[in-house]
Amino acid sequence: MAKLEALLFDVDGTLADTERDGHRVAFNAAFKQAGLDWYWSEELYGKLLAVTGGKERIRYYLEKFNTGFQHPEDLTGFIADLHKSKTGHYERILNEGEIPLRTGVQRLLEESRTAGMRMAVVTTTTPANVSALLSNSLGADGERWFEVIAAGDIVPHKKPAPDIYNWAMEKMGLVPEQCLALEDSRNGYLSARDADINAIVITVNGYTEEDDFTGAPMVVSHLGEPGNPSQSFDGMVCDEGVVTLDCLKQLHQR
Ligand code: XBP
Ligand code: MG
């Protein structure tokens, strides 16, 4: 059995609950700024999360939920501009300190860093969004806690495709048996699983608690803190409901 060498962290929904109060709000601000009358409610956004990637999500919205919109000649350029504006609004929201890390995330990151565990970010979100989240929550050198930041358009196929996990592992010179992934959604779970990673921890959130995680070895409400245990929904349970590095090592050995 290979030793656990690295933790691979998803960002949105896993490190922080960014979707409802971050990305969604930023999309709506960009729409307004562009003079569009589009509005993504919390409920609609839940449906739009079926597609990962902001540009892809806008296109999906037009295809499925706003079919009457008169497309500009250069739809791809139009979406790219809108998305660029959305990224600016998202960074502003994070810089205003609106979105904290989820329960237990900072504790686990600090513990893993102190132990010399290798860490990477594996996400579909735009790199600028990752920088903003990490610097605002971990401090100016937050990004440097992670050996590799695999993000955005560096692979053509976003999650649920395994490409972004494969890219990160190749960059780190690791095979799937040496890694453990932390995710929050079915798309993320499928991406890690199809990259042949067996050790996967799912921390669900409001948008993903109904997702199908069949086969995942650990599904919990969050990573837990001493005195604030996580609830276990499926699979292995950590002592006192706190997902420590030790518990992750045990999960990896199973
Ligand atoms: C999250 C996503 C992203 C963000 C928006 O993926 O699906 O699309 O909602 O980011 P993950 P961009 O949980 O894998 O991080 O607008 O920058 O694409
Ligand atoms: Mg996610």
Side-chain angles (χ1 to χ4, degrees):
M1 182 72 188
K3 190 171 151 248
L4 178 62
E5 297 288 348
L7 304 183
L8 311 181
F9 288 89
D10 170 51
V11 174
D12 296 302
T14 301
L15 292 185
D17 256 325
T18 50
E19 294 292 6
R20 190 190 64 189
D21 301 331
H23 291 291
R24 185 185 69 90
V25 173
F27 279 113
N28 284 329
F31 301 155
K32 197 169 175 197
Q33 195 179 347
L36 298 163
D37 65 354
W38 309 353
Y39 178 75
W40 290 0
S41 66
E42 289 180 29
E43 197 200 347
L44 172 60
Y45 196 68
K47 295 178 186 155
L48 296 171
L49 283 173
V51 170
T52 64
K55 294 186 286 292
E56 293 82 349
R57 191 167 298 143
I58 294 171
R59 192 177 287 273
Y60 176 65
Y61 166 70
L62 291 175
E63 282 165 9
K64 286 266 159 35
F65 300 92
N66 190 355
T67 49
F69 178 67
Q70 201 68 36
H71 287 195
E73 209 173 297
D74 176 13
L75 182 62
T76 301
F78 172 78
I79 291 175
D81 287 345
L82 209 45
H83 187 254
K84 204 165 162 202
S85 157
K86 177 255 164 180
T87 299
H89 285 290
Y90 182 76
E91 285 178 90
R92 173 183 50 78
I93 291 167
L94 288 184
N95 291 339
E96 284 165 359
E98 296 284 309
I99 317 267
L101 295 177
R102 290 192 66 189
T103 305
V105 167
Q106 181 137 3
R107 172 191 53 72
L108 179 64
L109 290 175
E110 278 172 3
E111 189 192 349
S112 304
R113 189 164 180 249
T114 306
M117 176 62 61
R118 297 169 69 183
M119 299 196 284
V121 158
V122 183
T123 176
T124 63
T125 207
T126 302
N129 300 347
V130 181
S131 308
L133 180 71
L134 296 180
S135 59
N136 280 296
S137 52
L138 299 176
D141 73 335
E143 269 187 282
R144 288 202 290 277
W145 291 30
F146 301 87
E147 183 180 327
V148 162
I149 302 223
D153 298 325
I154 51 170
V155 291
H157 302 293
K158 294 184 177 172
K159 298 174 185 179
D163 306 29
I164 192 76
Y165 274 99
N166 289 332
W167 189 92
M169 288 189 286
E170 199 185 321
K171 212 64 194 156
M172 297 172 92
L174 294 172
V175 293
E177 293 72 30
Q178 296 171 301
C179 299
L180 182 147
L182 296 102
E183 279 284 355
D184 71 298
S185 68
R186 178 164 172 81
N187 280 331
Y189 170 56
L190 294 178
S191 177
R193 188 197 71 182
D194 292 348
D196 292 331
I197 297 173
N198 291 326
I200 304 174
V201 172
I202 308 289
T203 50
V204 300
N205 57 57
Y207 275 131
T208 65
E209 59 198 4
E210 306 283 307
D211 283 8
D212 180 3
F213 296 112
T214 306
M218 187 191 288
V219 184
V220 290
S221 56
H222 50 70
L223 294 175
E225 290 284 8
N228 183 13
S230 64
Q231 197 185 338
S232 166
F233 297 117
D234 207 358
M236 202 182 122
V237 179
C238 297
D239 283 348
E240 299 181 25
V242 182
V243 181
T244 57
L245 181 58
D246 231 38
C247 185
L248 294 182
K249 286 180 180 169
Q250 286 170 40
L251 181 80
H252 174 259
Q253 288 303 312
R254 292 201 335 165

